[in-house]
Amino acid sequence: DAGVTQSPTHLIKTRGQQVTLRCSPKSGHDTVSWYQQALGQGPQFIFQYYEEEERQRGNFPDRFSGHQFPNYSSELNVNALLLGDSALYLCASSSDIGPDAWSEQYFGPGTRLTVT
Amino acid sequence: AQSVTQPDIHITVSEGASLELRCNYSYGATPYLFWYVQSPGQGLQLLLKYFSGDTLVQGIKGFEAEFKRSQSSFNLRKPSVHWSDAAEYFCAVVPYNQGGKLIFGQGTELSVKP
């Protein structure tokens, strides 16, 4: 059973460019959350997608946007990249059904984004 | 302000020694509580979680945590540390009525001496 997968593993972009990161959730999961982890920090919640809609959003600017597809996979888009966007971007999936709905989030290995 | 605090940035323990990592939260209602571990180059792995009931929670890899409402704490413990436990440990909460939105502490880096 494949866990959460993310692509690409590493990415280098130039300030001002746009980037798209991808995530496939664990089999059976329908909810995807995205987190940004700066070096030496704990992950910060960006947003969560369920039924192809953004359900919750953290304190991130509109440059950060996302999408969820009918197969539950998800994309994170960041426009007008800033140096401060350099971080590890983590995707987590969970299920919205059952007694442990959303409670256990399975994390992918992350995408390391470097903005120069 | 609502927050999750891990007071210790870095802890070093000898292999075989006991371990306690501290976590305090500041929320009006008791949130759901979690401990995650992150090894270098890896994603986050859930060690254990607390929603309600017995305040002593058992997790994977021999870890346990105790919820103390009076101290707003959820400390992680292990009786005997192994070299493979060296990693970054994160305490996290899901605030009441904010299902799925994990709020993480800053993390505690654990080093294990042989």
Side-chain angles (χ1 to χ4, degrees):
Chain A
D1 173 26
V4 179
T5 60
Q6 293 186 244
S7 63
T9 305
H10 295 89
L11 205 51
I12 299 175
K13 289 288 188 178
T14 303
R15 192 171 42 185
Q17 285 187 317
Q18 177 264 343
V19 67
T20 297
L21 311 181
R22 295 176 176 83
C23 171
S24 291
K26 180 179 166 64
S27 177
H29 284 182
D30 55 8
T31 302
V32 173
S33 303
W34 287 92
Y35 294 82
Q36 180 195 66
Q37 186 177 19
L39 201 60
Q41 304 290 319
Q44 290 200 336
F45 177 81
I46 303 174
F47 43 53
Q48 182 183 83
Y49 276 83
Y50 172 68
E51 291 189 339
E52 302 180 48
E53 297 282 336
E54 183 182 291
R55 182 161 65 176
Q56 284 201 82
R57 190 178 182 90
N59 189 25
F60 279 80
D62 291 345
R63 297 187 298 109
F64 289 77
S65 63
H67 188 78
Q68 186 178 35
F69 299 93
N71 68 352
Y72 308 121
S73 67
S74 177
E75 288 182 349
L76 164 66
N77 301 292
V78 187
N79 294 323
L81 284 167
L82 304 173
L83 296 179
D85 295 331
S86 295
L88 180 68
Y89 288 85
L90 295 165
C91 169
S93 74
S94 55
S95 173
D96 214 61
I97 300 172
D100 289 333
W102 63 259
S103 66
E104 182 158 349
Q105 296 194 25
Y106 289 80
F107 283 81
T111 294
R112 173 74 61 188
L113 172 65
T114 302
V115 181
T116 63
Chain B
Q2 298 181 329
S3 65
V4 179
T5 302
Q6 294 180 246
D8 305 305
I9 296 173
H10 189 195
I11 284 182
T12 299
V13 299
S14 298
E15 190 167 17
S18 64
L19 170 71
E20 182 169 27
L21 302 182
R22 296 182 291 164
C23 173
N24 293 93
Y25 62 89
S26 174
Y27 287 87
T30 300
Y32 299 130
L33 299 159
F34 305 80
W35 274 98
Y36 282 85
V37 61
Q38 186 176 38
S39 299
Q42 304 289 316
L44 292 158
Q45 182 181 24
L46 179 67
L47 289 175
L48 46 78
K49 59 189 177 185
Y50 174 79
F51 288 177
S52 64
D54 192 347
T55 57
L56 187 62
V57 180
Q58 301 298 319
I60 63 171
K61 303 185 178 186
F63 286 93
E64 66 178 27
E66 185 172 13
F67 168 62
K68 292 186 177 180
R69 184 187 304 274
S70 61
Q71 299 177 19
S72 296
S73 69
F74 188 56
N75 294 348
L76 181 71
R77 301 195 295 246
K78 186 169 185 178
S80 178
V81 170
H82 187 262
W83 64 266
S84 62
D85 292 325
E88 188 90 20
Y89 291 80
F90 292 97
C91 179
V93 308
V94 171
Y96 182 71
N97 269 346
Q98 294 187 41
K101 179 180 177 181
L102 277 165
I103 308 297
F104 287 86
Q106 293 273 74
T108 297
E109 183 181 359
L110 173 65
S111 297
V112 180
K113 292 189 301 185

